[in-house]
Amino acid sequence: MKTMKKIVCILSTLMLVLCTLGCSKKAEQPVEPRLLLGFSQIGSESAWRIGNTRDIEACAEEYGVSLMFENANQKQENQIDAIRRFIAYKVDVIAFSPIVEEGWDNVLNEAKEAGIPVILVDRDVSTDAEGLTKCLIGADFYKEGVMAAEYLIRKADSLGLEHVNIVEITGTENSTPMRQRQAGFVDTIAGDDRMVILESIDGDFLKSRGAECMRSLLGTYGSDIDVVFSHNDEMTLGALPEIEKAGFVPGQDMIIISIDGGQEAIDVLKEGRINCVVECTPKLGKELMETALKLKAGEEVDTLIHPVEEVFSDEQDTSLIAPRGY
Ligand code: GYE
């Protein structure tokens, strides 16, 4: 009986010790994130960019991805530094939105040597080297330029215009959306003799620059301007008050075409001061998380992912446009 008691006592002490050990081990163990993702954002230049950042942060949380987020404040060198920090930190996957297309070869080679896959988000890079990035998740900017021009051709037809003078306010020089939106637009109006581009001017995707550019264009061409084609909503919103100050009614005296489709621009479209907004969705977070998780798992990914986008214009009942969320 005595030995029995002893055995029970020893066993329960042992169980207590084991349990305590097990429990304390559990409490000390950090919860492993599914994935550590380093993301270098361009900056905060537009409602589009802020919507894009919010979407990526929300999706990272939803997918259980630990996000190292860096804002480059519109400077390529800050993006290069951020990518180097991600490499030093040994993140699982690097993603970034390159502000311009050229100048990434060195840092991308460093990521490749470290064995870290790179995803391009929103914008592309231009390089002769093979295999520096895994894929691009972003809009079809060329198609956006085409859709803007197709709207303009329909509008000119409906108004019976015989000659159409266009001024173009472009996005950041040498960026993918600037190059491709311009190319899509120019290629599409090329077959239409009525269309003339008076001037293309760099507005850097900024509202303040949009206003400056518009002032300068109005100073040079005044009432000769029939159309303002602006590469993003921010620049359009900067240009509109300048057009009004110069005594013109935007949407009537001048056809206003914008790209992005943020809520503020859609509200102005509903007022009739913008005629057409080509959608460019900033909601790329879901695709980014799913692609990054696949890469971590060593799976193949699509090399090009374009979201589906539409056109909002005075050709439709604009009161039916759903809230945009950015
Ligand atoms: O159109 C603009 C932003 O790269 C698609 O960048 C993006 C562009 C967008 O600042 O508003």
Side-chain angles (χ1 to χ4, degrees):
M1 198 57 205
K2 241 185 174 177
T3 13
M4 191 61 188
K5 250 188 181 170
K6 232 181 182 174
I7 291 176
V8 169
C9 184
I10 289 172
L11 273 179
S12 38
T13 317
L14 205 71
M15 272 175 75
L16 197 74
V17 168
L18 278 179
C19 178
T20 320
L21 266 181
C23 294
S24 65
K25 205 168 176 214
K26 219 179 191 176
E28 275 165 19
Q29 242 172 20
V31 184
E32 266 282 303
R34 294 172 78 191
L35 171 89
L36 181 56
L37 174 67
F39 177 65
S40 163
Q41 179 61 288
I42 292 175
S44 318
E45 75 280 7
S46 62
W48 190 100
R49 188 67 52 201
I50 291 162
N52 179 248
T53 294
R54 285 198 187 131
D55 183 62
I56 288 172
E57 285 172 343
C59 289
E61 214 176 303
E62 195 182 311
Y63 279 79
V65 167
S66 170
L67 185 68
M68 271 182 83
F69 181 89
E70 298 257 6
N71 184 328
N73 292 313
Q74 259 62 45
K75 289 204 170 64
Q76 181 172 27
E77 55 275 27
N78 290 347
Q79 292 204 281
I80 293 173
D81 287 348
I83 295 170
R84 293 211 163 108
R85 275 195 295 281
F86 298 151
I87 296 171
Y89 207 83
K90 296 189 167 58
V91 300
D92 297 308
V93 177
I94 292 172
F96 77 115
S97 299
I99 184 160
V100 290
E101 294 194 342
E102 281 79 19
W104 303 100
D105 284 47
N106 286 346
V107 75
L108 289 178
N109 265 309
E110 290 165 30
K112 194 179 175 187
E113 273 161 29
I116 303 176
V118 177
I119 301 173
L120 295 167
V121 178
D122 166 33
R123 301 186 185 177
D124 206 352
V125 296
S126 165
T127 171
D128 292 333
E130 287 279 304
L132 293 184
T133 58
K134 294 289 178 193
C135 62
L136 168 63
I137 302 168
D140 185 342
F141 301 128
Y142 185 87
K143 192 171 165 202
E144 291 172 355
V146 170
M147 292 196 288
E150 285 174 348
Y151 164 81
L152 178 57
I153 291 168
R154 290 196 301 276
K155 184 76 177 173
D157 289 345
S158 75
L159 294 174
L161 301 179
E162 282 171 9
H163 190 87
V164 183
N165 283 330
I166 304 161
V167 292
E168 180 186 30
I169 307 178
T170 71
T172 307
E173 220 183 337
N174 300 328
S175 70
T176 315
M178 177 266 155
R179 286 178 170 166
Q180 294 187 5
R181 285 173 181 166
Q182 181 170 66
F185 188 83
V186 168
D187 289 353
T188 308
I189 60 166
D192 191 323
D193 296 340
R194 296 171 297 179
M195 307 286 166
V196 174
I197 297 186
L198 296 175
E199 191 175 331
S200 286
I201 182 168
D202 175 13
D204 205 12
F205 283 128
L206 299 170
K207 190 174 188 174
S208 56
R209 284 285 303 143
E212 272 172 46
C213 291
M214 197 65 231
R215 266 200 303 279
S216 146
L217 292 165
L218 284 161
T220 313
Y221 306 103
S223 61
D224 284 347
I225 302 172
D226 301 312
V227 178
V228 178
F229 169 45
S230 151
H231 284 199
N232 84 339
D233 289 348
E234 233 60 41
M235 297 187 296
T236 311
L237 294 166
L240 290 180
E242 300 302 321
I243 297 172
E244 283 155 348
K245 270 188 250 165
F248 302 103
V249 181
Q252 288 175 34
D253 298 334
M254 291 179 193
I255 299 167
I256 312 293
I257 304 175
S258 189
I259 302 185
D260 274 356
Q263 191 59 53
E264 201 179 342
I266 294 297
D267 290 343
V268 178
L269 170 74
K270 289 180 181 181
E271 289 168 11
R273 292 161 67 230
I274 293 180
N275 302 85
C276 172
V277 184
V278 177
E279 181 188 29
C280 178
T281 180
K283 294 179 185 164
L284 307 172
K286 182 175 184 286
E287 293 291 355
L288 171 59
M289 299 310 146
E290 289 179 0
T291 306
L293 285 164
K294 277 189 197 161
L295 286 171
K296 187 179 180 187
E299 291 168 28
E300 284 296 307
V301 297
D302 293 336
T303 51
L304 187 60
I305 299 172
H306 283 326
V308 180
E309 297 177 328
E310 55 182 308
V311 177
F312 305 111
S313 79
D314 54 10
E315 297 168 310
Q316 74 194 94
D317 179 353
T318 54
S319 69
L320 299 177
I321 302 172
R324 302 291 300 145
Y326 62 97

